[in-house]
Amino acid sequence: MASASATTPTLPSTQTVWKIVRKGVPAKALVKEENAPVPKKIPKGNVLVKIQAASLNPVGYKMMRMAPNSFLKRIAEYDFAGEVVDANGNLQFKVGDQVFGSIPVGESFKTGQGALAQYTYVPAKATAHRPEGITPNEASGIAIVALTAYTALYHIGKLEAGQRIFVNGGSTSVGIYTIQLAKALGCKVYASASGKNEEFLKSLGVDEFYDYTKQPIHEALVQNPPSSKFDVIFEAVGHAYIPLYTHSEAYLAPNGTYISVGPTPDGFSETLSLLWNFFMHPKWAGGTKRRFEILRINKTGELLDEIAKAITDGKVKPVIDSVYKFEDVLSAYDKILTGHARGKVVVEVS
Ligand SMILES: NC(=O)c1ccc[n+]([C@@H]2O[C@H](COP(=O)([O-])OP(=O)(O)OC[C@H]3O[C@@H](n4cnc5c(N)ncnc54)[C@H](OP(=O)(O)O)[C@@H]3O)[C@@H](O)[C@H]2O)c1
């Protein structure tokens, strides 16, 4: 979205932020700090953004739970939408530009910056112009989950028109983008969620729905495999779900790929069985004969522009579960921690 004005605004010297100060659940880990400094020295390659909205991601609370000491005393969360207030010499942005993006977790470690702030600086390469026709609240929830869906579909799965994908966790925010992008590509999409989300997922274009509360999904797929096996299985819940992989020869094509968003860092036994299956019990020793990949986002800048274009072209629509005020951040965390939000949990900052 183009800038309304190129005049550098006068910035306050202090601001309100939500800071991680100790390890634990959000209610224990976070404090609201009302006199935090507004950053003055912006490192090269970063822009200063006045935050309009921030969206929560599971990585936010997972990091609080397992935070090493070096991770403390920094502002929480990563995904944002806002307005550039200091372009800091980055030629692709100017003051007043309406933007969205995500502070990479590693950057947040280094700089202490986060999205639950009134002002934050963010790498220009992790920032893009907000597409026309969507609100800051909608834009705030795009970056991490859309980058994840893009990485799974295009970089790892290399999905092509006419192929079949199974999305475990179709109503996760990651799943919602994956389904829409796969449908836009012309694929047949199968997805799981609890029964209450069946109509919603079908409205996104899902061809076949599986209710995980009725029967374990791998059992349903073994008993009733698709007429042609899947080209990609994307495990988008984040609980490893080992049996979905270990039974996959029944429903994943021999040259297909099983992609996992990764087990929860605190799911110790799942992580152990994952390690056992993939490193101690390889294919030659009778392990599952299917390619397995754990997803890592490794590209941001240009991809965010592509995602913005997909939104402008109407291929993808952001979905919001709920919106909270800046002072109600802890209630927003209560919602995402249920594990049953349908779309993004948004915090309105200004
Ligand atoms: N590796 C990476 O770089 C990366 C990047 C982004 C996200 N992630 C991970 O990806 C996962 C999803 O993130 P998100 O933000 O999309 O999550 P989210 O939006 O908070 O997910 C909530 C959804 O999960 C569904 N769900 C819960 N249990 C399920 C189950 N057993 N089977 C199917 N659906 C289930 C719920 O549907 P129902 O209400 O119907 O149960 C709900 O709609 C998280 O673990 C996150 O940490 C990893």
Side-chain angles (χ1 to χ4, degrees):
M1 211 174 255
S3 69
S5 135
T7 318
T8 304
T10 311
L11 301 178
S13 57
T14 60
Q15 61 162 335
T16 302
V17 303
W18 285 89
K19 223 172 197 178
I20 304 170
V21 294
R22 60 183 79 85
K23 188 173 169 164
V25 293
K28 185 177 159 208
L30 288 175
V31 295
K32 186 166 140 196
E33 198 175 299
E34 293 189 336
N35 285 308
V38 172
K40 285 216 162 52
K41 284 191 178 157
I42 316 299
K44 199 166 175 256
N46 287 258
V47 292
L48 184 64
V49 173
K50 181 177 186 192
I51 302 289
Q52 295 156 331
S55 273
L56 306 188
N57 280 283
V59 66
Y61 65 76
K62 288 177 187 178
M63 287 307 239
M64 288 178 213
R65 276 194 211 145
M66 51 178 263
N69 285 340
S70 57
F71 196 67
L72 300 175
K73 310 282 182 205
R74 46 172 212 97
I75 300 167
E77 292 300 332
Y78 312 96
D79 274 359
F80 66 88
E83 179 172 318
V84 174
V85 289
D86 183 351
N88 194 33
N90 293 284
L91 297 177
Q92 67 274 47
F93 296 108
K94 56 189 177 307
V95 169
D97 278 0
Q98 304 294 302
V99 293
F100 75 101
S102 192
I103 305 166
V105 177
E107 278 295 310
S108 172
F109 256 103
K110 277 196 286 185
T111 63
Q113 298 296 292
L116 286 177
Q118 291 173 305
Y119 295 87
T120 196
Y121 63 78
V122 299
K125 65 179 183 343
T127 306
H129 290 95
R130 166 155 60 91
E132 298 283 349
I134 65 164
T135 63
N137 282 357
E138 289 172 316
S140 71
I142 295 173
I144 287 185
V145 291
L147 288 168
T148 306
Y150 251 72
T151 306
L153 291 186
Y154 298 118
H155 300 169
I156 304 177
K158 302 197 185 329
L159 201 69
E160 292 174 8
Q163 290 191 323
R164 290 159 191 255
I165 178 170
F166 177 76
V167 184
N168 191 52
S171 62
T172 63
S173 297
V174 170
I176 290 170
Y177 277 90
T178 307
I179 289 166
Q180 296 184 81
L181 289 168
K183 288 309 295 181
L185 194 58
C187 295
K188 186 152 185 194
V189 180
Y190 302 67
S192 71
S194 66
K196 69 174 189 298
N197 282 320
E198 178 168 0
E199 284 318 306
F200 167 67
L201 290 191
K202 288 191 169 160
S203 77
L204 296 180
V206 164
D207 299 282
E208 300 265 354
F209 176 80
Y210 295 79
D211 182 346
Y212 73 86
T213 63
K214 288 200 172 140
Q215 186 185 16
I217 297 299
H218 66 281
E219 280 180 23
L221 291 171
V222 167
Q223 283 165 16
N224 224 340
S227 50
S228 294
K229 290 184 180 179
F230 303 128
D231 299 285
V232 172
I233 294 177
F234 185 23
E235 198 304 286
V237 180
H239 58 171
Y241 195 179
I242 302 296
L244 185 64
Y245 175 70
T246 51
H247 290 79
S248 64
E249 285 170 39
Y251 41 81
L252 179 62
N255 57 353
T257 307
Y258 184 99
I259 307 167
S260 168
V261 285
T264 51
D266 45 1
F268 187 63
S269 59
E270 284 170 347
T271 307
L272 273 187
S273 62
L274 194 78
L275 291 174
W276 163 253
N277 196 60
F278 305 112
F279 297 105
M280 306 299 288
H281 193 215
K283 285 177 205 167
W284 54 262
T288 309
K289 295 180 182 60
R290 291 296 181 271
R291 180 179 165 220
F292 178 93
E293 297 285 338
I294 291 189
L295 188 145
R296 289 285 167 267
I297 299 170
N298 51 17
K299 242 183 158 191
T300 47
E302 324 90 86
L303 262 192
L304 282 180
D305 289 329
E306 267 186 57
I307 290 163
K309 184 168 182 319
I311 290 172
T312 307
D313 294 348
K315 289 183 180 163
V316 188
K317 281 199 189 109
V319 175
I320 290 180
D321 173 89
S322 43
V323 180
Y324 293 82
K325 297 201 171 105
F326 196 35
E327 55 270 31
D328 295 333
V329 156
L330 295 181
S331 305
Y333 276 106
D334 286 343
K335 184 64 201 270
I336 193 171
L337 280 163
T338 62
H340 296 289
R342 185 170 82 187
K344 296 306 298 184
V345 176
V346 176
V347 176
E348 264 175 351
V349 180
S350 60

